[in-house]
Amino acid sequence: MGHHGMEGIDMLDPLTSSSMTTLAPMGESAPPHHQLHGYGAMNHVMNHHHHGGGLSHAPPAHLGHPSAGLHPDTDTDPRELEAFAERFKQRRIKLGVTQADVGKALANLKLPGVGALSQSTICRFESLTLSHNNMIALKPILQAWLEEAEAQAKNKRRDPDAPSVLPAGEKKRKRTSIAAPEKRSLEAYFAVQPRPSGEKIAAIAEKLDLKKNVVRVWFCNQRQKQKRMKFAAQH
DNA sequence: ATGCATGAGTA
DNA sequence: ACTCATGCATA
């Protein structure tokens, strides 16, 4: 899917011809807040909400719109989240916008503490593969964008947009790939002990001939996976 | 769409 | 050293 920040041009012609000026990623003023590609750089659009325990507290009521942040029950209900996620995706596609587009466009919403998000995150929101709390926090933001986008789609209009500048490439991050056999072993270990001690991790790492850090991160990610809506206690 | 990774915040 | 939100890279 998305490669760079350029895929915007191929979404300018859909029937809806929705070229939402401020919501589209290639808007006049959409300088990707981050150009530091040397992956040791500031990545996260660290919003104000990021205290421990994640967003375990009440959802941000100020971001909520009329139908959003009124009663926690409505926003916290897994069924509602699921329904919203589906509607969101459907309407997003109707608008002819990609997941990556939505992510970039969020920055144009100018909501307090809300910057851009990646295609990954939008995708995960739609597929409910985020934690419950994460879903709750993102819902009002995506809902706000959706409403704005649809509103602007109504006043269909064209406008000359400036081609985005592709940032110069820097170091690329390499992704380790754990082979299937090793992965099966890890899963077996995980089934017995989801939280192995440092020593245990080291042992496993040596046994599978993997770097200790790779194994440690694998377990962390595995634990996170269990907490995602799709895996965690089904509603 | 998803695997492996980073980094802030916490304990 | 962990959790949690998030993203680059890649299947």
Side-chain angles (χ1 to χ4, degrees):
Chain A
M1 246 186 143
H3 292 304
H4 313 115
M6 267 298 294
E7 63 279 88
I9 50 180
D10 44 275
M11 61 156 262
L12 292 175
D13 57 282
L15 311 152
T16 55
S17 71
S18 62
S19 56
M20 42 227 96
T21 342
T22 54
L23 298 169
M26 62 302 198
E28 346 65 53
S29 61
H33 55 295
H34 67 312
Q35 42 189 175
L36 305 171
H37 283 182
Y39 59 96
M42 172 274 274
N43 261 338
H44 306 189
V45 185
M46 283 315 8
N47 300 326
H48 50 308
H49 65 246
H50 197 90
H51 57 287
L55 312 152
S56 52
H57 68 328
H62 53 289
L63 293 173
H65 248 247
S67 52
L70 290 183
H71 7 294
D73 307 280
T74 302
D75 270 354
T76 303
D77 178 28
R79 306 222 64 90
E80 162 58 23
L81 284 172
E82 182 172 7
F84 177 76
E86 194 174 326
R87 267 177 282 143
F88 179 84
K89 178 170 189 175
Q90 207 172 285
R91 295 162 78 179
R92 184 207 100 215
I93 291 174
K94 185 114 183 183
L95 287 168
V97 183
T98 67
Q99 296 169 334
D101 291 333
V102 175
K104 302 270 191 176
L106 291 180
N108 302 325
L109 267 180
K110 303 296 185 183
L111 282 173
V114 179
L117 286 177
S118 66
Q119 172 266 326
S120 302
T121 300
I122 303 304
C123 171
R124 284 167 174 154
F125 179 86
E126 294 183 343
S127 60
L128 301 169
T129 43
L130 287 176
S131 71
H132 188 207
N133 282 348
N134 205 173
M135 288 294 291
I136 291 175
L138 261 33
K139 184 192 172 194
I141 296 170
L142 293 180
Q143 181 160 47
W145 171 80
L146 183 59
E147 288 169 7
E148 255 305 291
E150 294 189 319
Q152 287 189 31
K154 279 200 168 186
N155 329 9
K156 74 170 276 183
R157 56 182 187 192
R158 265 313 202 134
D159 70 346
D161 40 278
S164 51
V165 195
L166 296 180
E170 307 229 342
K171 287 188 187 176
K172 289 285 186 177
R173 177 170 83 186
K174 197 48 185 175
R175 210 180 90 183
T176 323
S177 186
I178 301 175
E182 286 68 37
K183 206 159 329 193
R184 274 183 250 110
S185 295
L186 287 172
E187 279 160 1
Y189 283 121
F190 188 83
V192 180
Q193 177 52 259
R195 315 192 50 170
S197 66
E199 295 258 298
K200 186 65 180 174
I201 289 178
I204 294 175
E206 184 173 4
K207 212 163 193 175
L208 302 181
D209 191 41
L210 291 171
K211 291 191 179 177
K212 180 181 177 181
N213 208 52
V214 169
V215 176
R216 185 182 59 70
V217 171
W218 186 86
F219 273 91
C220 283
N221 283 323
Q222 211 56 33
R223 277 176 237 130
Q224 252 195 311
K225 215 171 178 179
Q226 284 195 316
K227 294 182 179 179
R228 289 176 181 171
M229 285 198 83
K230 287 278 188 172
F231 297 91
Q234 292 298 305
H235 33 293

